[in-house]
Amino acid sequence: MEKEEFISSLSGGVVVLGGCGTVGSLIARILASHNIDVTIIDSTPDSYLVPIFKNEGIHLRLAEQLDENSFNNQSAIFIAPSLLENQIFMGKVNNFNKENLPIYSIDEILKYFTPNKPVIAVTGTNGKSTTTHGLKHIFLVNGYKIPSHGLRIQGNSEYIPALQSRLSGDFGILEIGTFGISGEIKRSASNSHVNMGIITNITHDHLNNGSFEDYINCKKEMIEVAEKLVLDGDDPTLMNIVDCEGKEIYYFGIKDKDNPLFKDSDYNMICPKCGSKLEYNVNYLRSLGEFNCKCGFKNPPLTVYADNIKIKKEHNNTKTSYTIHFEDKETRTVRLPHSGIHNVYNSLAAACAAWKSGLDIDDIISGIESFKGVPGRLEYINQDPTIIIDFAHNPAGVETIIKTVLKLKTDHNKIIVLNTISSESGREGDMAIAKLLSDADIVIPVSSSSVDMSKYIDTEVVKIKNNSKFNKTGTIGSSPRQVEEGLKLALNLSDFNDIILVVGEAGVKYSKNALNKILFENVINK
């Protein structure tokens, strides 16, 4: 059956069962975007997606159980994949499907509703979310329609990117992640029909499912799928896996080796090509920099790059500016509303992708400078003392955020770090994180792995009383109670002008509620 024939067969309307769920909601929205009359039947009484459904013309029958009238006057039934595996539910469907309407699910959506627009996908270890949202923002402020999945989850794995790419819009801009499982990115990128792939960087992370080499090969899958690639030319690990044959490749990076910001940078790495020591002319951020080896391995020519980087302290915040170069032809000054070398890299990746997608340079700069960042990434949630939360959960991410926050250090304040990071980079990575945190004045380990590694911290360590083991879920290494106790301890140790940095997914997820609870209790106790 051809696409037009399949869509025509649905002209009488369809019912989507489980349409308020993650995958079901996207199935319903894709069908509706093709002018198909869609009705969602779901047992849930309400959903945060209701405004989206109503705006897109989807009919809702919520808090309903299936009965003999559920499928009257319909052409087909679509069912969320999770419900297909529920034998009791499917028994009810078959019982009430008196007219033997065809039953479809995710396979038919992927087969018949291919994206009708360019699709850009972002992957990498650090900076995926910020780069994805920054690139979306550049397109949105310049009048392009960019579809969003609308889900209150990160939504960068399994079927979500593939379904998001099929929503109505001018460009599809997706984040595709991996937990280090072979075939995960390739399957998602292929199902999403990715035209341009962005890889931000590759560092040690998500090693629970294999070695670092396995993880590298997972990220390499984006290179295998995408026709056009935007890659960090300062990353030797990434540059080692680039296969240029038949690909259109653009590189972004930094060329600022004489900048005093980087005079003390140093990083030891083995050349991934020949195994010799890799020489760096300058390190910009952990393994990222201007590198070369006696075997001839070195940075490629950069398509889009930054120099003249400046980071200035303004009160208890920092501001970053730089000069951006487009193939040595045009330059502009960029003033980021959020700080750090990592955000320079993120903005360069977005600028390169937008430029090579046809956007005007001045429009790109306007988009970069008006992008306020992503919640949970260098996010300020309190003043006096300043409290910052950040998702950093591996050595590269922690080094980035520590270097940025240390710019706020004076002779009159302390940097207190609350470490909620679970072990994602192996024991070696946990040790590296512990050593990086030694630049703070006080470290409060909260997660089990951070407590175990606290002996490697060369600064004052203060532990919470709740030292019970927490069985991590994904990258969440601490419980809400542990985060609350750690934050309360940090506040007790701080003065009004100090800075509390909370790192790790648990800290990002639980700190706001914990802070509200602590402040409320303080008011009540007064």
Side-chain angles (χ1 to χ4, degrees):
M1 188 184 298
E2 298 296 327
K3 176 181 177 180
E4 291 76 13
E5 184 182 356
F6 180 76
I7 293 177
S8 178
S9 73
L10 307 178
S11 60
V14 302
V15 168
V16 178
L17 303 181
C20 289
T22 300
V23 174
S25 65
L26 293 170
I27 289 176
R29 292 177 61 199
I30 291 167
L31 292 166
S33 72
H34 285 79
N35 298 315
I36 296 167
D37 190 65
V38 177
T39 298
I40 288 176
I41 299 179
D42 202 301
S43 60
T44 184
D46 198 9
S47 168
Y48 65 87
L49 293 167
V50 166
I52 294 177
F53 293 144
K54 290 184 175 179
N55 183 59
E56 296 179 4
I58 297 170
H59 311 295
L60 299 174
R61 291 164 58 185
L62 304 185
E64 281 196 22
Q65 301 297 326
L66 295 182
D67 60 32
E68 59 186 11
N69 298 315
S70 294
F71 308 130
N72 289 348
N73 303 315
Q74 300 294 327
S75 298
I77 302 167
F78 281 79
I79 303 179
S82 60
L83 293 178
L84 283 176
E85 301 171 3
N86 186 322
Q87 293 183 356
I88 296 175
F89 180 82
M90 289 306 299
K92 292 180 180 179
V93 172
N94 293 326
N95 182 48
F96 294 123
N97 185 15
K98 302 298 186 181
E99 297 185 19
N100 292 318
L101 299 177
I103 296 175
Y104 302 126
S105 187
I106 187 73
D107 291 339
E108 287 75 22
I109 296 295
L110 296 180
K111 179 178 180 181
Y112 292 110
F113 297 92
T114 53
N116 58 355
K117 57 186 169 297
V119 177
I120 305 171
V122 184
T123 193
T125 305
N126 296 305
K128 291 188 301 296
S129 295
T130 302
T131 300
T132 303
H133 286 276
L135 184 58
K136 281 185 180 181
H137 180 80
I138 291 171
F139 278 93
L140 286 168
V141 298
N142 286 292
Y144 293 91
K145 182 180 178 182
I146 308 298
S148 171
H149 55 60
L151 303 168
R152 292 177 180 173
I153 58 175
Q154 194 166 2
N156 61 12
S157 60
E158 297 298 331
Y159 291 123
I160 297 176
L163 294 174
Q164 184 181 343
S165 72
R166 287 161 167 79
L167 294 173
S168 178
D170 299 314
F171 282 83
I173 300 177
L174 320 170
E175 177 181 346
I176 297 181
T178 178
F179 285 100
I181 301 172
S182 177
E184 202 173 16
I185 289 179
K186 187 171 186 177
R187 181 171 57 252
S188 188
S190 297
N191 284 336
S192 302
H193 293 253
V194 170
N195 309 109
M196 177 183 286
I198 302 172
I199 304 182
T200 57
N201 49 66
I202 301 178
T203 63
H204 289 71
D205 199 9
H206 298 309
L207 302 186
N208 299 325
N209 295 308
S211 66
F212 184 45
E213 191 65 32
D214 294 329
Y215 179 71
I216 292 171
N217 288 331
C218 286
K219 296 300 184 184
K220 187 178 180 180
E221 292 169 4
M222 181 63 76
I223 296 175
E224 297 170 4
V225 174
E227 303 160 2
K228 299 179 182 180
L229 294 162
V230 174
L231 308 176
D232 188 342
D234 291 348
D235 185 348
T237 302
L238 176 54
M239 291 302 95
N240 184 48
I241 63 171
V242 176
D243 182 2
C244 297
E245 188 174 349
K247 302 289 181 180
E248 197 174 316
I249 304 182
Y250 309 105
Y251 299 101
F252 64 91
I254 297 174
K255 293 168 69 172
D256 208 11
K257 66 179 180 179
D258 295 325
N259 193 322
L261 275 176
F262 310 110
K263 60 182 176 62
D264 297 324
S265 300
D266 187 30
Y267 191 80
N268 292 318
M269 181 172 173
I270 299 299
C271 175
K273 287 288 186 187
C274 71
S276 302
K277 181 181 178 182
L278 190 64
E279 299 293 334
Y280 280 89
N281 295 325
V282 59
N283 278 118
Y284 297 122
L285 185 63
R286 202 158 180 82
S287 62
L288 306 182
E290 297 180 32
F291 58 87
N292 62 77
C293 181
K294 59 185 180 183
C295 71
F297 181 57
K298 61 180 182 179
N299 305 74
L302 300 178
T303 310
V304 173
Y305 67 90
D307 64 9
N308 193 32
I309 299 172
K310 298 175 182 177
I311 300 179
K312 294 182 179 180
K313 181 178 182 296
E314 291 186 9
H315 307 295
N316 266 6
N317 205 336
T318 58
K319 299 292 184 182
T320 300
S321 65
Y322 65 87
T323 301
I324 188 170
H325 299 253
F326 294 85
E327 288 183 340
D328 291 323
K329 296 176 182 178
E330 293 197 54
T331 64
R332 300 287 191 280
T333 297
V334 175
R335 296 174 180 84
L336 294 177
H338 38 82
S339 193
I341 302 302
H342 60 304
N343 281 319
V344 173
Y345 275 109
N346 296 335
S347 61
L348 289 171
C352 187
W355 188 43
K356 290 304 177 179
S357 296
L359 270 68
D360 178 77
I361 287 176
D362 289 327
D363 291 338
I364 293 170
I365 303 306
S366 176
I368 291 173
E369 294 189 332
S370 60
F371 176 55
K372 302 302 182 183
V374 178
R377 272 69 173 179
L378 199 66
E379 181 181 358
Y380 287 69
I381 64 171
N382 194 69
Q383 292 181 337
D384 304 326
T386 297
I387 302 178
I388 304 169
I389 57 175
D390 194 271
F391 191 75
H393 58 279
N394 54 48
V398 171
E399 181 177 12
T400 298
I401 192 66
I402 284 291
K403 282 186 173 181
T404 302
V405 172
L406 283 174
K407 297 288 182 183
L408 305 175
K409 174 70 175 169
T410 70
D411 294 334
H412 307 291
N413 65 6
K414 300 189 296 293
I415 306 290
I416 302 172
V417 176
L418 185 66
N419 184 4
T420 75
I421 299 173
S422 66
S423 183
E424 288 295 309
S425 308
R427 184 175 177 81
E428 184 178 335
D430 291 341
M431 289 174 61
I433 290 171
K435 292 175 181 177
L436 287 166
L437 297 183
S438 296
D439 288 331
D441 296 289
I442 299 173
V443 176
I444 302 173
V446 173
S447 63
S448 298
S449 59
S450 66
V451 170
D452 292 341
M453 291 294 114
S454 60
K455 59 187 174 183
Y456 297 104
I457 297 176
D458 188 23
T459 191
E460 183 179 357
V461 175
V462 184
K463 298 180 181 179
I464 62 174
K465 294 179 181 179
N466 186 342
N467 57 4
S468 59
K469 287 281 184 178
F470 175 73
N471 294 323
K472 71 170 189 166
T473 304
T475 56
I476 297 178
S478 309
S479 68
R481 183 179 173 185
Q482 287 172 320
V483 172
E484 180 185 337
E485 186 176 342
L487 193 53
K488 187 178 293 186
L489 178 56
L491 287 166
N492 288 337
L493 294 171
S494 67
D495 295 320
F496 75 96
N497 61 338
D498 290 338
I499 296 161
I500 299 171
L501 169 64
V502 187
V503 291
E505 184 176 358
V508 170
K509 188 169 186 178
Y510 304 131
S511 286
K512 291 180 183 178
N513 286 340
L515 180 62
N516 288 336
K517 183 177 178 182
I518 293 167
L519 295 178
F520 178 76
E521 289 175 350
N522 288 344
V523 171
I524 294 298
N525 291 334
K526 286 181 180 179

